[in-house]
Amino acid sequence: MSIEVSTLHTLPPYGMACEEKQAFLTEELKALSLHHVQRCPAYARMLEAAGCAPGDIRSYEELPPLPVRLFKEFSLKSVPEEELHRTMTSSGTTGQQVSRIFLDRETSTLQSKVLAAIMADYLGKQRLPMIILDTSAVIKNRAMFSARGAGILGFSMFARDKLYALDENMQLDVDGLTAFLEKHQGEDIFLFGFTFMIWQHFIDQLRKTGYQPDLSRGILVHGGGWKKLADQHITTEQFKDALRETCGLTRVHNYYGMVEQTGTVYMECECGRLHTPVWSEVTIRRPEDFSVANVGETGLIQVSSLLPRSYPGHVLLTEDEGRITGVDDCPCGRKGKTFEILGRIKQAEVRGCSDTYEQK
Amino acid sequence: MNRNDAYTTLCGGDWQNAKPLVPFADEVLAFLSDLSSLLMKTPAARSYPDVITFAFFCRKAHLEQLKADYEGALSTRIGRGLSFHIAPSNVPINFAYSLVAALLAGNACVVKASSQDFPQTRMVCSAIRQLLEGTHQALENHVNVVIYPREKQEITEMFSAACDSRIIWGGDETVRRVRMAALSPHANEVTFPDRYSLLAIKAEAVLQMDEKQLAAVAQGFYNDTYLTDQNACTAPRLVYWVGSGDALAKAQECFWNAVHSYAKPRYPLEAVVAVDKRIAAYRAALQLPGSRIVPMEDNLIVRIRLDELTPEIEQNRCAGGFFLEYASETLEDLAPVVERKYQTLSYFGFPKEALVGFVLENRLTGIDRIAPVGATMDFALTWDGIDLIRTLSRSIFAI
C-alpha cells in the first residue's frame, strides 16, 4: 500500500538501505504512474505506445523514462487548468526552448518540504543566516522567474536573515557583506549560489579586490552544473581551493538537480559523493539499449522521484552521463546509492543534406 | 588555390569570361572522363566510396550512354551561360554532381561547396585543378569551385546577380535565405528543398529470398539510410509493407533482423541519437493516433507501427534509424497522404512500371524518383522531377 502524500516528507532522507528502497520505490512509482495515466492523457498514450501497463510492473525500472526534452516540446500536466499554482521554466539562453513544468499546490508544497528535510541533514534543523552568492535582480523580475530564481527562493526557506552578495550590476557588495558578517559573528552561515556565477563573479572579485571576508563558518551549497567551468578547464579541486584561499570556506557541497524534479536534490556529502535521498533514485542506463547498467558503469542518468504529482515527470531520462559509485557504503554513513556526474552527452554531428542554415 | 578577399577558389579561372557550350560538348566529355580516370587512380580515393561512385558516374561509357538517352533531341540547344550552385553543407560529394550536370548542359559553373573541410572536396578539386592546368585548360573558366562562409550573403548576391541559372541544394531555410539574393530578370532557378522519402516493400518477395539475397537487400537499405545518418532527402523514413497476416509478420522479422545484422557492426549509435529517437517515438505516440513502438533488442533500429497514414507522418522523422511502418494489402493507402514534399519511392518486390503507373494514375503531386532499394542516392540528370540538361540549356527555335 502506498504511503500518504501528506506524510511523505517525514521519512528520514538517508535512512533506507538500497534493497528496501527499491521495493518502496516500485510500490510508490507504480501508484504514481497510475495516478498520471488517469489524469494525463498524453502520458497514458505514451505508455500505451511503449507497451507498458504500470499496474503490471515488478520493478520501477520497467517504467519507460520520459526524455526531459519532451517537456520543452509538450505541455504535460496531470491537473486541471484551474488547479495550477505555478509554472516553472528551465533557464535556457535566449531563443532556446525551455521546459515548462506545471505545479499545483500539493506538488509545490511537497517539493518545499522534501527540500527542507534534505537540507536539514546538512545544515541542521536551525535556520541559519544566509548569503546568496548572486544578485537580487534575479528574483525582483518576476517575469524572468526561472530555475535560477526558483532555486534561490527555494533554498531561502532555510534562512532567517538574507543578504545578496552581488548588487544589481553584479558587483560585490563589500559593505553589506562586512556588516552582515559582523552581525552574525560566531554563527554558522549558509551560503548558496550557482557554480558558474560563484566562480565568475564572487571568487573573481574577491581575488581582484583582495577583500578577504571570513567565511570559515560557512556552509556552501552550489549547483547548476559544471559545463561552463569544464569548458574553462576548471576542476572541482581548483574551485574548492579558490574558495578556501579567498575566504576560508571549506564546507562546500555541490548538488545535482533539475527544474523538472525540483525538491529531490542530490547533495554531495563530506566524502565528495552525490547521494540519492529516500524520495528519489538514480538509475544508469546504457545508451545502446537503455538497459540498466552495472555499478561503476557509465551511462545515461535516469532520475525517478516521488514528488511530481501535477505533471508526469516522475521517471525521467536526462542527457547527462554518470555512474553509480557505491551502494549503502559511503563513509559518511548515509544509506542508498551514490553517484557521480560525468557531464552532458555529446551533441550529434549529423550527415546528410539537412539544412545548411538551420544548423546554427 | 586562389584566395581573394571575399571567397576562396578551390579550382577554376575567370568565371566572368566563359562562353556557353552545346550540351554534352566533346571537350566536356573528354574532361570528365579524364577526371574519372584520374580519381580512379588516386590511391586516397579508395577509402571514399562516394568519390569512387562519382568517378564511376563520370566514366566515358556512362557519359556516352547519358548522351544517347537524349536521342539527338538536344541538337538545337546550348547552355544558358553561367550557372551558380549552392551545394549542401553536409553531403560532401553533392557539389561535384551539381557541377557535372550543369557542365553537361553546356554551362560555365561557379559551385559554392560546403565550407566544412571535407577530404572528398579537396580530392576532387585537386584532380580538377590538375586537369585544368594541363590538357583541359580550355575549360578553366568554366569549372569553378569556391568556398565562403554562408553568412557572407553579399557574395551570394554577387554570383546571383551575375548568373543565368541558380541551383540551390539544401533545406527549406537555405532556399529562403539564398532567394533573398536577387537574380537577374532573365535568370532561372532550380531548388532542391527539404523532401520526404519512403520504401515500398512486398512481404511475399522478402519471404522468397535466401539468406544471402536478404543480406544484399539489407545492405542496400543500409546504404539508403544509415550511411547518411538517414538524413539525406532520399533516405526512406516510412516503410510501407504490402502484405498481411503471418506472412507479413514473418517478412518484417526477416527484413529487420537482416538490417540489424548488417548495421550493428557498422553504425556507431551515439547516445544523443538514441535519446533523439526515443523522443521522436513519444512524439509519434502523441501525434500519430494508435501508433506503437515496436519492441526491439536495442536502440539501433526504432520502428513505429502505424494503423493509419495521416499527413502528420511527414513531420514525425528523426535521423539515425527511425522508421514509421505501415502495412496493407495494396499500395492504395499511400495515395491520399502523398504531397509535394514526397521525393523518392524506393521499392523492393514491385515492377518499377507499376509504381510509375501508381503515381500517374493517382495524379499524385509528389514522388519524383522511383529507385530500387540500395539505389536511392544514385545521381541522375533528372532529379526531383527536373531534367537538368533541358532546364539548364536554352532551345534555339527557328520557324
Side-chain angles (χ1 to χ4, degrees), chain B residues 160-229:
Chain B
S160 295
C163 73
D164 302 289
S165 291
R166 183 166 67 187
I167 299 101
I168 312 173
W169 302 83
D172 294 356
E173 195 47 38
T174 302
V175 173
R176 267 182 219 113
R177 275 280 291 272
V178 173
R179 275 192 167 168
M180 290 195 283
L183 287 169
S184 150
H186 77 277
N188 72 352
E189 183 176 66
V190 180
T191 59
F192 299 107
D194 187 29
R195 303 301 299 266
Y196 186 80
S197 296
L198 72 146
L199 168 70
I201 182 166
K202 209 168 223 169
E204 233 171 74
V206 170
L207 294 178
Q208 281 161 11
M209 309 233 290
D210 64 28
E211 210 171 304
K212 212 173 151 193
Q213 291 168 313
L214 196 55
V217 172
Q219 177 178 356
F221 184 73
Y222 177 90
N223 290 343
D224 287 343
T225 54
Y226 288 90
L227 196 62
T228 53
D229 285 328

Coordinates of all heavy atoms in Angstrom, one line a residue, chain B residues 160-229:
Chain B
S160 N 24.7 35.6 -57.7 CA 23.3 35.5 -58.1 C 22.9 36.6 -59.2 O 22.2 36.3 -60.1 CB 22.3 35.7 -56.9 OG 22.5 34.7 -56.0
A161 N 23.5 37.8 -59.0 CA 23.2 38.8 -60.0 C 23.9 38.5 -61.3 O 23.4 38.9 -62.4 CB 23.7 40.2 -59.4
A162 N 25.0 37.8 -61.2 CA 25.8 37.5 -62.5 C 25.3 36.3 -63.2 O 25.5 36.2 -64.4 CB 27.2 37.4 -62.1
C163 N 24.6 35.4 -62.6 CA 24.4 34.1 -63.2 C 23.1 34.1 -64.1 O 22.3 34.9 -64.0 CB 24.3 33.0 -62.2 SG 22.8 33.0 -61.2
D164 N 23.1 33.0 -64.9 CA 21.9 32.8 -65.8 C 21.0 31.8 -65.2 O 19.8 31.7 -65.6 CB 22.4 32.5 -67.2 CG 23.3 33.5 -67.8 OD1 22.8 34.6 -68.1 OD2 24.5 33.3 -67.9
S165 N 21.6 30.9 -64.4 CA 20.8 29.9 -63.7 C 21.3 29.7 -62.3 O 22.6 29.7 -62.1 CB 20.9 28.5 -64.4 OG 20.2 28.5 -65.7
R166 N 20.4 29.5 -61.4 CA 20.9 29.2 -60.0 C 20.3 27.9 -59.5 O 19.2 27.6 -59.7 CB 20.5 30.4 -59.1 CG 21.0 30.2 -57.7 CD 20.8 31.5 -56.9 NE 19.4 31.9 -56.7 CZ 19.0 33.0 -56.1 NH1 19.8 33.9 -55.8 NH2 17.7 33.2 -55.9
I167 N 21.2 27.1 -58.9 CA 20.8 25.8 -58.4 C 21.0 25.7 -56.9 O 22.2 25.9 -56.4 CB 21.6 24.7 -59.1 CG1 21.3 24.7 -60.6 CG2 21.2 23.3 -58.5 CD1 22.4 25.3 -61.4
I168 N 20.0 25.5 -56.1 CA 20.1 25.6 -54.7 C 19.8 24.2 -54.1 O 18.7 23.7 -54.3 CB 19.2 26.6 -54.0 CG1 19.3 27.9 -54.7 CG2 19.5 26.7 -52.5 CD1 18.2 29.0 -54.3
W169 N 20.8 23.6 -53.4 CA 20.6 22.4 -52.7 C 20.5 22.7 -51.2 O 21.2 23.7 -50.8 CB 21.7 21.4 -52.9 CG 22.0 21.0 -54.3 CD1 22.7 21.7 -55.2 CD2 21.5 19.8 -55.0 NE1 22.7 21.1 -56.4 CE2 22.0 19.9 -56.3 CE3 20.7 18.7 -54.6 CZ2 21.7 18.9 -57.2 CZ3 20.5 17.7 -55.5 CH2 21.0 17.8 -56.8
G170 N 19.8 21.9 -50.4 CA 19.8 22.2 -49.0 C 18.4 22.2 -48.5 O 17.5 21.7 -49.2
G171 N 18.2 22.7 -47.3 CA 16.8 22.6 -46.7 C 16.0 23.9 -47.1 O 16.5 24.7 -47.8
D172 N 14.8 23.9 -46.6 CA 13.9 25.0 -46.9 C 14.4 26.3 -46.5 O 14.3 27.3 -47.2 CB 12.5 24.8 -46.2 CG 11.8 23.5 -46.8 OD1 12.3 22.9 -47.7 OD2 10.7 23.2 -46.2
E173 N 15.1 26.3 -45.4 CA 15.6 27.6 -44.8 C 16.8 28.1 -45.7 O 16.9 29.3 -46.0 CB 16.1 27.4 -43.4 CG 16.4 28.6 -42.6 CD 15.2 29.7 -42.7 OE1 14.0 29.2 -42.7 OE2 15.5 30.9 -42.8
T174 N 17.6 27.2 -46.2 CA 18.7 27.6 -47.2 C 18.1 28.3 -48.4 O 18.5 29.3 -48.9 CB 19.5 26.4 -47.6 OG1 20.1 25.8 -46.4 CG2 20.7 26.8 -48.5
V175 N 17.0 27.6 -48.9 CA 16.4 28.1 -50.2 C 15.9 29.5 -49.9 O 16.1 30.5 -50.7 CB 15.3 27.2 -50.6 CG1 14.5 27.8 -51.8 CG2 15.9 25.8 -51.0
R176 N 15.2 29.7 -48.7 CA 14.7 31.0 -48.4 C 15.8 32.1 -48.3 O 15.6 33.2 -48.8 CB 13.9 31.0 -47.1 CG 12.5 30.7 -47.2 CD 11.7 30.7 -45.9 NE 10.7 29.6 -46.0 CZ 10.7 28.5 -45.2 NH1 11.7 28.4 -44.3 NH2 9.8 27.6 -45.4
R177 N 16.9 31.7 -47.6 CA 17.9 32.7 -47.5 C 18.6 33.1 -48.8 O 18.8 34.2 -49.1 CB 19.0 32.1 -46.5 CG 18.8 32.2 -45.1 CD 19.1 33.6 -44.6 NE 20.6 33.9 -44.6 CZ 21.4 33.6 -43.6 NH1 20.9 33.1 -42.5 NH2 22.7 33.9 -43.6
V178 N 18.9 32.0 -49.6 CA 19.6 32.3 -50.9 C 18.6 33.1 -51.8 O 19.1 34.0 -52.5 CB 20.0 31.0 -51.5 CG1 20.5 31.3 -52.9 CG2 21.0 30.3 -50.7
R179 N 17.3 32.9 -51.7 CA 16.4 33.6 -52.5 C 16.3 35.1 -52.2 O 15.8 35.8 -53.0 CB 15.0 32.9 -52.4 CG 14.9 31.8 -53.4 CD 13.4 31.3 -53.5 NE 13.3 30.4 -54.6 CZ 12.2 29.7 -54.8 NH1 11.2 29.7 -54.0 NH2 12.2 28.9 -55.8
M180 N 16.8 35.5 -51.1 CA 16.8 36.9 -50.8 C 17.8 37.6 -51.6 O 17.8 38.8 -51.8 CB 17.1 37.1 -49.3 CG 15.9 36.7 -48.4 SD 15.9 37.3 -46.7 CE 17.1 36.2 -46.0
A181 N 18.7 36.9 -52.2 CA 19.7 37.4 -53.2 C 19.0 37.4 -54.5 O 18.7 36.4 -55.1 CB 21.0 36.6 -53.2
A182 N 18.8 38.6 -55.1 CA 18.1 38.7 -56.4 C 18.8 38.1 -57.6 O 20.1 38.2 -57.6 CB 17.8 40.2 -56.6
L183 N 18.1 37.5 -58.5 CA 18.6 37.0 -59.7 C 18.4 38.1 -60.8 O 17.6 39.0 -60.6 CB 17.9 35.8 -60.1 CG 18.1 34.5 -59.4 CD1 17.1 33.4 -59.8 CD2 19.5 34.0 -59.7
S184 N 19.2 38.0 -61.8 CA 19.0 38.9 -63.0 C 17.6 38.5 -63.5 O 17.2 37.4 -63.5 CB 20.1 38.7 -63.9 OG 19.7 38.9 -65.2
P185 N 16.8 39.5 -64.1 CA 15.5 39.2 -64.6 C 15.4 38.0 -65.5 O 14.4 37.2 -65.5 CB 15.1 40.5 -65.3 CG 15.9 41.5 -64.7 CD 17.2 40.9 -64.3
H186 N 16.4 37.7 -66.3 CA 16.2 36.6 -67.3 C 16.6 35.2 -66.7 O 16.4 34.2 -67.3 CB 17.1 36.9 -68.5 CG 18.6 36.6 -68.2 ND1 19.4 37.5 -67.6 CD2 19.3 35.5 -68.4 CE1 20.6 37.0 -67.4 NE2 20.6 35.8 -67.9
A187 N 17.2 35.3 -65.5 CA 17.8 34.0 -64.9 C 16.7 33.1 -64.5 O 15.6 33.5 -64.1 CB 18.7 34.3 -63.8
N188 N 17.0 31.8 -64.5 CA 16.0 30.8 -63.9 C 16.7 30.1 -62.7 O 17.9 30.4 -62.4 CB 15.5 29.8 -65.0 CG 16.6 28.8 -65.4 OD1 17.8 28.9 -65.0 ND2 16.2 27.8 -66.2
E189 N 15.9 29.3 -62.0 CA 16.4 28.8 -60.8 C 15.8 27.4 -60.6 O 14.7 27.1 -60.9 CB 15.9 29.7 -59.6 CG 16.3 29.3 -58.3 CD 15.9 30.3 -57.2 OE1 14.7 30.4 -57.0 OE2 16.8 30.9 -56.6
V190 N 16.7 26.5 -60.0 CA 16.2 25.2 -59.7 C 16.5 25.0 -58.2 O 17.6 25.3 -57.7 CB 17.1 24.1 -60.5 CG1 16.6 22.7 -60.1 CG2 16.9 24.4 -62.0
T191 N 15.5 24.6 -57.4 CA 15.7 24.4 -56.0 C 15.5 23.0 -55.6 O 14.6 22.3 -56.1 CB 14.8 25.3 -55.2 OG1 13.4 25.0 -55.5 CG2 15.0 26.8 -55.4
F192 N 16.3 22.5 -54.7 CA 16.1 21.2 -54.1 C 15.9 21.3 -52.6 O 16.9 21.1 -51.9 CB 17.3 20.3 -54.5 CG 17.5 20.1 -56.0 CD1 18.5 20.8 -56.6 CD2 16.6 19.3 -56.7 CE1 18.7 20.6 -58.0 CE2 16.8 19.2 -58.1 CZ 17.8 19.9 -58.7
P193 N 14.7 21.6 -52.2 CA 14.5 21.9 -50.8 C 14.3 20.5 -50.0 O 14.6 19.5 -50.6 CB 13.2 22.7 -50.8 CG 12.5 22.2 -52.0 CD 13.5 21.8 -53.0
D194 N 13.8 20.7 -48.8 CA 13.6 19.5 -48.0 C 12.6 18.6 -48.6 O 11.5 19.0 -49.0 CB 13.1 20.1 -46.6 CG 13.0 19.0 -45.6 OD1 13.7 18.1 -45.6 OD2 12.1 19.2 -44.7
R195 N 12.9 17.3 -48.6 CA 12.0 16.3 -49.1 C 11.7 15.1 -48.2 O 12.4 15.0 -47.2 CB 12.6 15.8 -50.5 CG 12.8 16.8 -51.5 CD 11.7 17.6 -51.9 NE 10.6 16.9 -52.5 CZ 10.4 16.7 -53.8 NH1 11.3 17.2 -54.7 NH2 9.4 16.0 -54.3
Y196 N 10.8 14.3 -48.6 CA 10.4 13.1 -47.8 C 10.4 11.9 -48.6 O 9.9 11.9 -49.8 CB 9.0 13.4 -47.2 CG 8.6 12.3 -46.2 CD1 9.1 12.3 -44.9 CD2 7.7 11.3 -46.5 CE1 8.7 11.4 -43.9 CE2 7.3 10.3 -45.6 CZ 7.8 10.4 -44.3 OH 7.4 9.5 -43.4
S197 N 11.0 10.8 -48.2 CA 11.1 9.6 -49.0 C 10.7 8.4 -48.2 O 10.7 8.4 -47.0 CB 12.6 9.5 -49.5 OG 12.9 10.6 -50.3
L198 N 10.4 7.3 -49.0 CA 9.9 6.1 -48.4 C 10.2 4.9 -49.1 O 10.7 5.0 -50.3 CB 8.3 6.2 -48.2 CG 7.5 6.1 -49.5 CD1 6.2 5.4 -49.3 CD2 7.2 7.4 -50.1
L199 N 10.0 3.7 -48.5 CA 10.3 2.5 -49.1 C 8.9 1.7 -49.2 O 8.2 1.6 -48.2 CB 11.3 1.6 -48.3 CG 11.4 0.1 -48.6 CD1 12.1 0.0 -50.0 CD2 12.2 -0.6 -47.5
A200 N 8.7 1.1 -50.4 CA 7.5 0.2 -50.5 C 8.1 -1.2 -50.7 O 9.0 -1.4 -51.5 CB 6.7 0.6 -51.7
I201 N 7.7 -2.1 -49.9 CA 8.3 -3.4 -49.8 C 7.2 -4.5 -49.8 O 6.2 -4.4 -49.0 CB 9.3 -3.5 -48.7 CG1 10.0 -4.9 -48.6 CG2 8.6 -3.2 -47.3 CD1 11.2 -4.9 -47.7
K202 N 7.4 -5.5 -50.6 CA 6.4 -6.6 -50.6 C 6.8 -7.8 -49.7 O 7.9 -8.3 -49.9 CB 6.2 -7.1 -52.1 CG 4.9 -7.6 -52.4 CD 4.7 -7.8 -53.9 CE 3.3 -7.3 -54.3 NZ 3.2 -7.2 -55.8
A203 N 5.9 -8.1 -48.8 CA 6.2 -9.2 -47.8 C 6.6 -10.5 -48.5 O 7.6 -11.1 -48.2 CB 5.1 -9.4 -46.9
E204 N 5.8 -10.8 -49.5 CA 6.0 -12.1 -50.2 C 7.4 -12.2 -50.9 O 8.1 -13.2 -50.8 CB 5.0 -12.0 -51.4 CG 4.1 -13.2 -51.6 CD 3.1 -12.8 -52.7 OE1 3.5 -12.8 -53.9 OE2 2.0 -12.5 -52.3
A205 N 7.8 -11.0 -51.4 CA 9.1 -11.0 -52.1 C 10.3 -11.2 -51.1 O 11.3 -11.9 -51.4 CB 9.3 -9.7 -52.8
V206 N 10.1 -10.7 -49.9 CA 11.1 -10.9 -48.8 C 11.2 -12.4 -48.5 O 12.3 -12.9 -48.3 CB 10.8 -10.0 -47.6 CG1 11.7 -10.4 -46.4 CG2 10.9 -8.6 -47.9
L207 N 10.0 -13.0 -48.4 CA 10.0 -14.4 -47.9 C 10.6 -15.4 -49.0 O 11.0 -16.5 -48.7 CB 8.6 -14.8 -47.6 CG 8.0 -14.1 -46.4 CD1 6.5 -14.6 -46.1 CD2 8.8 -14.4 -45.1
Q208 N 10.6 -14.9 -50.2 CA 11.2 -15.8 -51.3 C 12.7 -15.7 -51.3 O 13.3 -16.5 -52.1 CB 10.6 -15.3 -52.7 CG 9.2 -15.8 -52.9 CD 8.5 -15.1 -54.0 OE1 9.1 -14.3 -54.7 NE2 7.2 -15.3 -54.1
M209 N 13.3 -14.9 -50.5 CA 14.8 -14.7 -50.6 C 15.5 -15.7 -49.7 O 15.0 -16.0 -48.6 CB 15.1 -13.3 -50.2 CG 14.3 -12.4 -51.0 SD 15.3 -11.3 -51.8 CE 15.8 -10.5 -50.5
D210 N 16.7 -16.1 -50.2 CA 17.5 -16.9 -49.3 C 18.3 -15.9 -48.4 O 18.3 -14.7 -48.7 CB 18.4 -17.8 -50.0 CG 19.4 -17.2 -50.9 OD1 19.8 -16.0 -50.6 OD2 19.8 -17.8 -52.0
E211 N 19.1 -16.4 -47.5 CA 19.8 -15.5 -46.5 C 20.7 -14.5 -47.2 O 20.8 -13.4 -46.8 CB 20.5 -16.4 -45.6 CG 20.7 -15.8 -44.2 CD 21.3 -16.8 -43.2 OE1 20.7 -17.9 -43.1 OE2 22.3 -16.5 -42.6
K212 N 21.4 -15.0 -48.2 CA 22.4 -14.2 -48.9 C 21.7 -13.0 -49.7 O 22.2 -11.9 -49.6 CB 23.2 -15.1 -49.9 CG 24.6 -14.6 -50.1 CD 25.4 -15.6 -50.9 CE 26.5 -14.9 -51.7 NZ 27.1 -15.7 -52.7
Q213 N 20.6 -13.4 -50.3 CA 19.9 -12.3 -51.1 C 19.3 -11.3 -50.1 O 19.4 -10.1 -50.4 CB 18.8 -12.9 -51.9 CG 19.2 -13.8 -53.0 CD 18.1 -14.6 -53.6 OE1 17.3 -15.2 -52.9 NE2 18.0 -14.6 -54.9
L214 N 18.8 -11.8 -49.0 CA 18.3 -10.9 -48.0 C 19.3 -9.9 -47.4 O 19.1 -8.7 -47.2 CB 17.6 -11.7 -46.9 CG 16.7 -11.0 -45.9 CD1 15.6 -10.3 -46.7 CD2 16.1 -12.0 -44.9
A215 N 20.5 -10.5 -47.2 CA 21.6 -9.7 -46.7 C 22.0 -8.6 -47.7 O 22.3 -7.4 -47.3 CB 22.9 -10.5 -46.5
A216 N 21.9 -8.9 -49.0 CA 22.2 -7.8 -50.0 C 21.1 -6.7 -50.0 O 21.4 -5.5 -50.1 CB 22.2 -8.5 -51.4
V217 N 19.9 -7.1 -49.8 CA 18.8 -6.1 -49.6 C 19.1 -5.2 -48.4 O 18.9 -4.0 -48.4 CB 17.4 -6.8 -49.5 CG1 16.3 -5.8 -49.2 CG2 17.1 -7.5 -50.8
A218 N 19.4 -5.9 -47.3 CA 19.7 -5.2 -46.1 C 20.9 -4.2 -46.3 O 20.8 -3.0 -45.8 CB 20.1 -6.1 -44.9
Q219 N 21.9 -4.6 -47.0 CA 23.0 -3.7 -47.3 C 22.5 -2.5 -48.1 O 22.9 -1.4 -47.8 CB 24.1 -4.5 -48.1 CG 25.2 -3.6 -48.4 CD 26.4 -4.3 -49.2 OE1 26.3 -5.5 -49.3 NE2 27.4 -3.6 -49.6
G220 N 21.7 -2.8 -49.1 CA 21.2 -1.7 -49.9 C 20.4 -0.7 -49.1 O 20.5 0.5 -49.2
F221 N 19.5 -1.2 -48.2 CA 18.7 -0.4 -47.3 C 19.6 0.4 -46.4 O 19.4 1.6 -46.1 CB 17.7 -1.3 -46.5 CG 16.8 -0.5 -45.7 CD1 15.7 0.2 -46.3 CD2 16.9 -0.5 -44.3 CE1 14.8 0.9 -45.5 CE2 16.0 0.2 -43.5 CZ 15.0 0.9 -44.1
Y222 N 20.7 -0.2 -45.9 CA 21.6 0.4 -45.0 C 22.3 1.6 -45.7 O 22.4 2.7 -45.2 CB 22.7 -0.5 -44.5 CG 23.8 0.1 -43.7 CD1 23.6 0.2 -42.3 CD2 24.9 0.7 -44.3 CE1 24.6 0.8 -41.5 CE2 25.9 1.3 -43.5 CZ 25.8 1.3 -42.1 OH 26.7 1.9 -41.4
N223 N 22.7 1.4 -47.0 CA 23.3 2.5 -47.8 C 22.3 3.6 -48.0 O 22.7 4.8 -48.1 CB 23.8 1.9 -49.1 CG 25.0 1.0 -48.9 OD1 25.7 1.1 -47.8 ND2 25.4 0.2 -49.9
D224 N 21.0 3.2 -48.2 CA 20.0 4.3 -48.4 C 19.7 5.1 -47.2 O 19.3 6.2 -47.3 CB 18.7 3.6 -48.8 CG 18.7 3.0 -50.2 OD1 19.5 3.4 -51.0 OD2 17.8 2.2 -50.5
T225 N 20.0 4.5 -46.0 CA 19.6 5.2 -44.7 C 20.8 5.5 -43.8 O 21.2 6.6 -43.8 CB 18.6 4.3 -44.0 OG1 19.2 3.0 -43.8 CG2 17.3 4.2 -44.8
Y226 N 21.3 4.5 -43.1 CA 22.3 4.7 -42.1 C 23.5 5.4 -42.6 O 24.2 6.1 -41.9 CB 22.6 3.4 -41.4 CG 21.5 2.9 -40.5 CD1 20.5 2.1 -40.9 CD2 21.5 3.3 -39.1 CE1 19.5 1.6 -40.1 CE2 20.5 2.9 -38.3 CZ 19.5 2.0 -38.8 OH 18.5 1.6 -37.9
L227 N 23.9 5.1 -43.9 CA 25.1 5.6 -44.4 C 25.2 7.1 -44.4 O 26.2 7.7 -44.2 CB 25.3 5.1 -45.8 CG 26.7 5.2 -46.4 CD1 27.7 4.4 -45.7 CD2 26.7 4.8 -47.9
T228 N 24.0 7.8 -44.5 CA 24.0 9.2 -44.4 C 23.2 9.6 -43.1 O 22.5 10.7 -43.1 CB 23.3 9.9 -45.6 OG1 22.0 9.2 -45.7 CG2 24.1 9.8 -46.8
D229 N 23.3 8.8 -42.1 CA 22.5 9.0 -40.8 C 21.0 9.2 -41.1 O 20.3 9.8 -40.3 CB 23.0 10.3 -40.1 CG 24.3 10.1 -39.4 OD1 24.6 8.9 -39.0 OD2 25.1 11.0 -39.3

